[in-house]
Amino acid sequence: MAKKAVFVPPPQDLRRKAVNFKKGFALKLAPEELRRLEAVVEKATDDFTREVADKLRQLRTAIAAAAEGSGDAAAAIQSIRALSLDIKGMGGMFKYPLLTAYAKSLNDFVVMMRTPNPVQLDIIAAQIDALYVVMANRITGVGGRIERDLLEALNIATEKYGPEY
C-alpha cells in the first residue's frame, strides 16, 4: 500500500534567503524601484537587439560560405546550427516568441544536415530572412496571419527538403 504524500511547509529561513531585505527588492515594489528595474530591462533589450543583429550577420556570413562552396560547407552549417540555437534561446526572454519559433525552424532544418544542396540553401536563406524581418520590424508576440503562414511553410519545407532529401 502506497503512503500518502505529506507536504511540509518550508522553514522561514528559506523566505529570508529568497527575499533579501538588505540588498534586494521588497515583495511590493516602490515606484522608484520599479523605475530602476525598467531601466535595467530597457538596457538589456538594447543589448539583446545588438547581440541578435550580430548573430544574424554571422548567419549571413555562414550561409554565404556554404553557398560558394570554397570553404567547408559542413563547418558553415555547424555554425548556422549553433547560431540558430543561440537566437532561439534569446527570443522568449525579451518577448520575441516569433523570433524563437523561426530560429527553432532553422535549427530543426539544419540539425542533421552536413552539406546542403541548392534547394536547402535557399530554404536556409529564407529562414534567415524571416529572422531579419522579425528584428527589423520589432515583431513582439506571435505575429499575425502572415507570420504564422510563413512559419507553417518553413515547417513544411523542413519536412519535405530536410537532410534526408
Side-chain angles (χ1 to χ4, degrees):
M1 186 155 133
K3 292 183 180 180
K4 274 188 137 182
V6 177
F7 293 97
V8 179
Q12 280 300 98
D13 62 330
L14 285 180
R15 184 170 190 270
R16 281 190 295 274
K17 289 179 184 177
V19 180
N20 182 343
F21 291 106
K22 293 181 181 172
K23 294 182 184 175
F25 296 101
L27 291 175
K28 185 148 176 106
L29 297 175
E32 178 56 35
E33 291 172 325
L34 191 56
R35 279 191 289 279
R36 282 189 359 211
L37 284 175
E38 287 170 349
V40 168
V41 169
E42 186 67 33
K43 182 185 179 313
T45 301
D46 292 342
D47 292 344
F48 160 77
T49 303
R50 278 191 294 279
E51 190 170 346
V52 170
D54 181 54
K55 290 185 184 307
L56 290 174
R57 282 189 291 278
Q58 291 176 47
L59 281 171
R60 284 272 189 236
T61 302
I63 190 71
E68 63 187 37
S70 61
D72 185 8
I77 292 300
Q78 185 176 357
S79 177
I80 291 169
R81 189 178 308 124
L83 290 164
S84 64
L85 197 58
D86 288 348
I87 293 170
K88 176 187 167 213
M90 296 166 61
M93 186 182 305
F94 291 95
K95 297 182 183 172
Y96 281 86
L98 190 60
L99 185 74
T100 296
Y102 286 164
K104 179 186 183 317
S105 174
L106 175 57
N107 188 266
D108 289 349
F109 189 71
V110 299
V111 74
M112 300 300 290
M113 191 175 287
R114 298 284 178 246
T115 305
N117 64 38
V119 172
Q120 291 170 327
L121 287 170
D122 287 342
I123 293 169
I124 293 168
Q127 290 172 320
I128 294 170
D129 290 344
L131 293 168
Y132 266 99
V133 169
V134 170
M135 288 309 295
N137 293 309
R138 297 189 180 266
I139 302 173
T140 56
V142 294
R145 180 168 174 79
I146 293 172
E147 291 82 4
R148 286 190 303 274
D149 288 348
L150 177 58
L151 183 59
E152 179 62 27
L154 293 173
N155 289 335
I156 291 169
T158 296
E159 291 173 17
K160 189 171 181 180
Y161 298 105
E164 304 84 31
Y165 168 71

